[in-house]
Structures are given as structure tokens and as C-alpha cells.
């Protein structure tokens, strides 16, 4: 059964200050993750942690190669935002569960029903096929 987003969950995640690990955030300014990460940090007031294959720093923030490499002092992770292809998101969600993240947010066009069900079964809040920069106008952000 396809996941249906809960508007109250989206609003709570967007309004509650926290730490967002953004998987797929690179230094490539042409990728949507680049600008959305700035929105999450600068408009929503969240701390961001870039996650990308080389572990590059982005927007002056220390980058890591995976969620499991984030040091304990950077925990808890409130939201894992996924800017990866749908066929790659399952392992990211499994890592989010393993590190004790509180929520996963799958960006526009990212779907994996089985992984979403695993996240929900583990007690994580889930948002699918959505973008915080697009959702922000609903909440005056």
C-alpha cells in the first residue's frame, strides 16, 4: 500500500529545530539538493549534515560518506532527507534506522514502498515524494 503523507508530520518536522542529514548533497550547484539544503539550513533554521560518496563538505558543513560515519556528537539525527535515486534509497533508510534517526524524508520522485514500510515499522516518521522548499509556503517558512 502506498504511503500517504501526514500534513501534521510535515509541519512538525519543518517547524521543530533539529539536525537534518541530507543524503546526496554535493558541491554540484546544478543539483536540487544544493539549494534545498540552503533552504533547510537558512530558512528553516536546521543544522545540516552533508552525506555524499566522497564525503565532501558542502555549504561550509562537514560532510560524511554515509550516515554510519556521522560521529556520536552529531546525534541524534532528526531527519534523513534523501536525494538519491529510488533504487538506492532502501539502504539509506536501513542506515537511518540503524543510527536511530527519527524521520526519513524522500525527495520528489523518490519511492520505495518496502523501505518506507521498514521505516514505519521501526517507528520513524516518513515523508515521501515531497520537498521542504515546496512545502514551506504552506507554513509561512
Amino acid at each position: 500500500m502506498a504511503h500517504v503523507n501526514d500534513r501534521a508530520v510535515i509541519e512538525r518536522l519543518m517547524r521543530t529545530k533539529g539536525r537534518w542529514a541530507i543524503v546526496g548533497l554535493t558541491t554540484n550547484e546544478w543539483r536540487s539538493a544544493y539549494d534545498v539544503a540552503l533552504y533547510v539550513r537558512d530558512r528553516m533554521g536546521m543544522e545540516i549534515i552533508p552525506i555524499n560518496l566522497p564525503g565532501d563538505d558542502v555549504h561550509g558543513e562537514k560532510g560524511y560518506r554515509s550516515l554510519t560515519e556521522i560521529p556520536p556528537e552529531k546525534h541524534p539525527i532528526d531527519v534523513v532527507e534523501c536525494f538519491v535515486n529510488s533504487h538506492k534509497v532502501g539502504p539509506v533508510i536501513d542506515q537511518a534506522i540503524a543510527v536511530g534517526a527519527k524521520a526519513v524524508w524522500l525527495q520528489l520522485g523518490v519511492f520505495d514502498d518496502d523501505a518506507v514500510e521498514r521505516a514505519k515499522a521501526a517507528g520513524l516518521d516518513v515523508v515521501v515524494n515531497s520537498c521542504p522548499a515546496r512545502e514551506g509556503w504552506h507554513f509561512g517558512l
Side-chain angles (χ1 to χ4, degrees):
M1 181 161 147
H3 173 79
V4 176
N5 290 332
D6 181 334
R7 301 296 303 160
V9 168
I10 291 173
E11 182 172 14
R12 179 173 41 79
L13 294 176
M14 292 187 68
R15 289 192 182 279
T16 304
K17 298 300 181 230
R19 186 173 288 130
W20 287 45
I22 303 180
V23 180
L25 173 56
T26 71
T27 58
N28 184 344
E29 296 177 21
W30 294 100
R31 306 268 317 188
S32 58
Y34 191 85
D35 289 328
V36 173
L38 285 175
Y39 181 88
V40 169
R41 185 185 71 184
D42 298 344
R43 293 288 301 269
M44 292 171 50
M46 307 298 176
E47 177 184 345
I48 63 168
I49 302 172
I51 307 295
N52 54 68
L53 292 176
D56 290 338
D57 297 353
V58 184
H59 300 311
E61 308 291 345
K62 171 76 175 125
Y64 300 92
R65 292 187 311 235
S66 70
L67 295 171
T68 58
E69 289 187 5
I70 299 171
E73 63 270 14
K74 291 283 188 177
H75 287 261
I77 299 167
D78 297 294
V79 178
V80 174
E81 185 174 7
C82 301
F83 279 93
V84 296
N85 292 327
S86 294
H87 69 276
K88 294 181 178 181
V89 80
V92 173
I93 289 178
D94 292 338
Q95 282 185 26
I97 294 166
V99 301
K102 297 176 185 175
V104 290
W105 187 305
L106 280 60
Q107 195 55 36
L108 294 169
V110 180
F111 301 94
D112 184 328
D113 291 340
D114 292 337
V116 163
E117 289 305 315
R118 289 194 305 272
K120 290 196 284 192
L124 279 69
D125 287 322
V126 176
V127 177
V128 176
N129 191 37
S130 182
C131 176
R134 288 193 178 179
E135 294 288 349
W137 72 270
H138 290 288
F139 310 115
L141 299 172

